[in-house]
Amino acid sequence: MALTAAGILDTVGSWFGAKPILLPMAGTSWMPAFVASPDALAGASALLPAGTRLSRRTSAVLKRLPSVRAQLSKNIEPTEIDGGEEPETGVGRDSVWGVLRGPNGEFEAANALAARLALRLPLDRPGRALARFSIPTLLCVCDNDAAAPAKTTKRHAQGLAHVQVQSYVCDHFDIYVGDHFERAVRDQLYFLERQFDRTAQ
């Protein structure tokens, strides 16, 4: 409900040239986040390289929220509040949800999306779209996924001869790192090799 309300306000504001209302991409279950699950903050922050720094503003907020700070990966380092001015970023204004700078300034990213996106996401139904196409498709499904439940994904694939489901016993973000990532990439490459072999024949 919070996402929808913010999305409506953001959309109306955009008609009058207002700045976007920003909401977190990843957050805890009580945040108005696009991905709000018990593993979202830990999983999303683990994708960033070690030495990634949080903006001063977000670091100050997390000092008052130690339970949220504890969910972040050790790859993320807070920035000390020294009274200096926050350097400008290439990702727009500093959001309370987190602006991140990579080691040695390699990248800048924001844990924030325009709230208006919340009104478009419900219209995007990739699971239902599977039945409208016959293109060979591989679904890599995380069995313990709280953000995109595996049961729903597998139900959409049932009875579709062109859809192959590969399951991984992990959470939503685990498939992007470590052993789960290596296995998923192997499975994807094998799937593509088979498809290209069939096309060549």
Side-chain angles (χ1 to χ4, degrees):
M1 287 176 67
L3 279 174
T4 302
I8 292 169
L9 287 173
D10 189 32
T11 301
V12 172
S14 72
W15 299 341
F16 299 97
K19 288 182 177 179
I21 296 171
L22 299 177
L23 295 178
M25 184 281 291
T28 64
S29 53
W30 54 265
M31 285 181 183
F34 285 88
V35 181
S37 63
D39 69 321
L41 279 179
S45 59
L47 301 180
L48 296 162
T52 298
R53 300 195 76 79
L54 267 177
S55 64
R56 288 192 187 103
R57 183 179 182 192
T58 309
S59 298
V61 170
L62 288 180
K63 263 192 166 175
R64 296 192 295 270
L65 297 169
S67 62
V68 176
R69 172 70 183 101
Q71 293 179 45
L72 291 179
S73 160
K74 300 299 180 200
N75 293 351
I76 309 296
E77 298 174 8
T79 298
E80 291 304 317
I81 299 92
D82 60 4
E85 202 169 310
E86 186 82 57
E88 282 193 31
T89 73
V91 292
R93 69 188 192 276
D94 183 11
S95 160
V96 69
W97 308 113
V99 171
L100 304 131
R101 294 176 191 275
N104 305 314
E106 291 168 15
F107 67 86
E108 290 178 339
N111 178 33
L113 299 170
R116 66 194 74 165
L117 182 60
L119 303 181
R120 296 180 191 171
L121 286 177
L123 306 175
D124 185 22
R125 300 293 181 109
R128 290 183 181 175
L130 282 173
R132 296 201 305 264
F133 303 99
S134 59
I135 300 164
T137 304
L138 172 66
L139 298 181
C140 295
V141 181
C142 302
D143 285 339
N144 303 328
D145 197 327
K151 189 176 178 182
T152 304
T153 304
K154 290 177 179 178
R155 189 179 72 239
H156 284 303
Q158 253 179 351
L160 300 177
H162 65 285
V163 179
Q164 177 185 329
V165 176
Q166 195 70 45
S167 294
Y168 306 85
V169 184
C170 63
D171 292 328
H172 183 81
F173 291 97
D174 293 342
I175 200 168
Y176 302 111
V177 292
D179 292 340
H180 294 299
F181 174 77
E182 297 299 332
R183 184 184 154 212
V185 169
R186 279 196 305 272
D187 292 343
Q188 291 164 12
L189 289 173
Y190 178 68
F191 175 81
L192 289 172
E193 284 169 8
R194 284 177 48 229
Q195 302 314 315
F196 282 117
D197 281 347
R198 285 177 188 165
T199 305
Q201 293 169 4

